[in-house]
Amino acid sequence: MEFSLVYADADIALREWYKKTQKANWSCYADIKKSFNSADAVGNSRFVFNIKGNSYRLIAIVLFKMKTVYIRSICTHSDYDKIDAANI
């Protein structure tokens, strides 16, 4: 993962998120919350996941019917505060 090249401390947490997400069978936001209790819905099919104890944020589009997740952005917490996650 390219993000891990710059932020090496995020590597293990991102890999764990990926493995858990790959195995998931989400059909609604409640299912995401069961997998990732700290996940937030921010609108426009975007969900924000805390990575490595909230040091980083992963923004993804989750298409429940298609069982597909698109990573839109991974950023530091401070960079996240500067963006509109619902429109990334």
Side-chain angles (χ1 to χ4, degrees):
M1 295 185 170
E2 290 180 34
F3 188 83
S4 297
L5 296 176
V6 178
Y7 300 97
D9 63 325
D11 186 63
I12 292 172
L14 286 169
R15 289 178 190 278
E16 289 173 357
W17 178 89
Y18 181 80
K19 286 179 188 175
K20 189 180 271 191
T21 301
Q22 193 173 36
K23 293 177 184 176
N25 187 24
W26 299 328
S27 60
C28 62
Y29 176 49
D31 292 340
I32 292 175
K33 291 292 278 184
K34 289 177 187 173
S35 298
F36 299 99
N37 188 43
S38 63
D40 292 312
V42 293
N44 203 19
S45 299
R46 268 78 170 171
F47 297 85
V48 177
F49 300 86
N50 294 328
I51 304 295
K52 195 183 172 289
N54 205 18
S55 296
Y56 306 104
R57 297 279 179 95
L58 185 150
I59 303 163
I61 295 174
V62 179
L63 303 176
F64 295 110
K65 289 183 182 180
M66 295 176 51
K67 305 292 183 195
T68 304
V69 176
Y70 295 102
I71 296 173
R72 298 295 295 155
S73 179
I74 305 171
C75 54
T76 65
H77 194 137
S78 60
D79 286 340
Y80 173 83
D81 290 339
K82 300 173 189 172
I83 63 172
D84 177 7
N87 292 304
I88 288 279

